[in-house]
Amino acid sequence: MGGGGAAGRGSGAPGVRGPFRLVVLASGNGSNLQAIIDQLHGRPAGAGGPVIQVALVVSDQPGARALDRAKQAGVPTEVCAVASSGTRESQEGAILEAVRKAAPDLVVLAGYMRIVPPEFVRAFRWRIINLHPALLPAFPGTTSIKDALEHGVKITGVTVHFVDEGLDSGPIIAQEAVRVVPGDTAETLAERIHAVEHELLPATIRKIAIGKVKPPLPGERVVQVD
Ligand code: GRF
């Protein structure tokens, strides 16, 4: 990982590791944020690994349930809505500033329903991951569960990937398949996809925190996961 990266932030004392700081961006329900809080927050990433800390939750939606979940867990929150910022540009600037202040080792887009601007991607290159409810590069966008079902695929799934300047286009870190069964509706399929997300996302964050995930070499796409 670049910057603060997988090593976590130093506490100042030689050999003593500071927490691995996560900032989570979420727009809605926040069930994946909840999985992160329940499985990772305040716990070591692995034997000898840094303690993972959810340092901040940012939402673009003032009413997002994710904010309540964060508050419930004592995690600081920040709302950066277009309405209060005035313009899309000032909202994006406010988000970037809030995230920068929180000094994250990793930014997690967990149900964040906006494309992050290029400036944000540049500021946290290889330190932003997104969770997507399909097997990318199939079915990018915001309606992927419905799209996969309507397309008639027999297998779909979940992807965790680095965020680049495109839409759901960054290098893939982890994927897991979910079978489509006869009679599935978007709701029943989403339920099984979410269950997989709630395991895959925390497991991937843990691997990143202990340095097991290496960004691709320049010009390549393959992410090495030990
Ligand atoms: C997840 O399905 C995620 O893949 C997608 O948005 C959904 C968020 O769900 N990007 P939740 O808000 O974490 O419950």
Side-chain angles (χ1 to χ4, degrees):
M1 306 293 296
R9 259 148 231 287
S11 65
V16 179
R17 225 190 262 212
F20 187 86
R21 294 170 66 81
L22 298 181
V23 169
V24 180
L25 269 62
S27 301
N29 179 22
S31 68
N32 284 284
L33 168 67
Q34 192 67 56
I36 290 169
I37 288 170
D38 294 346
Q39 296 176 43
L40 304 179
H41 186 49
R43 296 166 192 251
V51 168
I52 295 177
Q53 183 191 354
V54 184
L56 178 69
V57 171
V58 179
S59 185
D60 57 327
Q61 300 296 327
R65 177 144 182 243
L67 293 166
D68 300 329
R69 295 180 190 267
K71 285 176 195 149
Q72 188 75 34
V75 171
T77 59
E78 189 94 38
V79 178
C80 301
V82 180
S84 50
S85 298
T87 63
R88 165 80 45 215
E89 288 69 32
S90 55
Q91 181 226 19
E92 288 173 347
I95 292 178
L96 180 56
E97 198 189 320
V99 176
R100 264 206 181 114
K101 268 197 199 141
D105 291 296
L106 186 67
V107 179
V108 181
L109 309 186
Y112 185 62
M113 301 313 276
R114 307 223 64 89
I115 296 185
V116 292
E119 198 191 350
F120 192 99
V121 176
R122 279 196 298 274
F124 300 104
R125 175 91 55 196
W126 307 123
R127 286 190 287 149
I128 319 172
I129 61 171
N130 181 46
L131 173 69
H132 185 76
L135 291 178
L136 292 170
F139 309 115
T142 56
T143 55
S144 43
I145 296 177
K146 184 173 154 280
D147 295 346
L149 198 59
E150 284 175 5
H151 193 88
V153 297
K154 305 302 180 207
I155 293 176
T156 181
V158 174
T159 302
V160 182
H161 64 94
F162 283 118
V163 172
D164 66 8
E165 284 83 352
L167 172 66
D168 299 327
S169 58
I172 291 166
I173 304 169
Q175 289 187 306
E176 201 159 312
V178 174
R179 202 168 280 282
V180 180
V181 297
D184 253 341
T185 62
E187 288 70 34
T188 58
L189 182 56
E191 213 171 288
R192 295 202 308 289
I193 284 177
H194 290 321
V196 170
E197 288 182 334
H198 297 162
E199 299 302 319
L200 189 66
L201 182 61
T204 305
I205 294 170
R206 220 181 271 122
K207 282 185 185 165
I208 292 172
I210 57 176
K212 288 193 166 190
V213 176
K214 311 273 185 318
L217 297 170
E220 295 186 9
R221 288 194 57 91
V222 178
V223 175
Q224 189 193 317
V225 182
D226 297 337

